[in-house]
Amino acid sequence: QLQLQESGPGLVKPSETLSLTCTVSGGSISSSGYYWGWIRQPPGKDLEWIGSVFYSGTTYYNPSLKSRVTIFADTSKNQFSLRLTSVTAADTAVYYCVRRPVGGGFDPWGQGTLVTVSS
Amino acid sequence: DIQMTQSPSTLSASVGDRVIITCRASQSINSWLAWYQQKPGKAPNLLIYKASSLETGVPSRFSGSGSGTEFTLTISSLQPDDFATYYCQQYNSYSPGFTFGPGTKVDIK
């Protein structure tokens, strides 16, 4: 059974860079036909797609975050990562890593990790 | 950008009720729509993809329909485990520009 697990700091200072890693078990991120990505949800608010990396390595980002986001995969570790630069309090959210097959919905999801931006 | 709306925003229902949630897209998304259930403190769970395909393991009381700009999620007989928030999400098979709806909270009447 495929499982995803987020890891990274729970507290980031304003203007710094948020870095999270998703470790995948029970399957390979090199498997064809899948996107691996990040979604966030500020407390009490809506879900927002951040971006994805396709199994081929091609990346896709939410236009509203594109200037600050990098997503990349490390196939040797079966992990993919998120970097979000110049964070503000508005970036405080639960961050989820997800998989999506071409033509399908996001499944599975990691359990999520709360990242708070505060000095 | 494609905008998604859902109605109602909150729905009060009883166990055994038939529940229908509507999702609308600002432009045609063909059948590229998914539905998720989220419970407090948990990650969303995929219920339906491609508008009407039931995800493996999801109870058959959940069903989806629609195409173009209007979609519905139906729970045929609401169960205690179904009280949660439901989100629709649009996607394009060839371009991953994803947008979620604002959610519909189903609570106990």
Side-chain angles (χ1 to χ4, degrees), chain B residues 46-100:
Chain B
L46 177 65
L47 301 174
I48 303 284
Y49 64 95
K50 208 173 178 184
S52 60
S53 295
L54 191 69
E55 177 69 3
T56 302
V58 174
S60 58
R61 62 181 180 273
F62 291 95
S63 64
S65 65
S67 66
T69 61
E70 188 156 335
F71 303 85
T72 59
L73 173 70
T74 301
I75 309 173
S76 60
S77 177
L78 197 66
Q79 298 302 301
D81 191 47
D82 301 338
F83 292 99
T85 299
Y86 293 84
Y87 294 93
C88 63
Q89 173 243 322
Q90 66 85 16
Y91 61 100
N92 182 310
S93 182
Y94 301 104
S95 175
F98 310 115
T99 317
F100 290 87

Side-chain angles (χ1 to χ4, degrees), chain A residues 35 39 41 45-49 52 60-63 96 100-107 109-112, chain B residues 1 32 34 36 38 42-46 49-50 55 87 89 91-98 100-102:
Chain A
Y35 298 92
I39 291 169
Q41 186 173 34
K45 295 188 179 180
D46 298 344
L47 295 156
E48 180 180 36
W49 171 71
S52 301
Y60 306 88
Y61 300 126
N62 186 323
Y96 297 101
R100 187 182 83 86
V102 173
F106 293 112
D107 181 73
W109 296 57
Q111 66 181 25
Chain B
D1 289 1
W32 303 118
Y36 301 84
Q38 186 178 33
K42 299 293 186 182
N45 182 48
L46 177 65
Y49 64 95
K50 208 173 178 184
E55 177 69 3
Y87 294 93
Q89 173 243 322
Y91 61 100
N92 182 310
S93 182
Y94 301 104
S95 175
F98 310 115
F100 290 87

Side-chain angles (χ1 to χ4, degrees), chain A residues 24 44 50 73-75 94 115:
Chain A
V24 178
I50 299 169
D74 185 340
T75 56
V94 175
V115 179

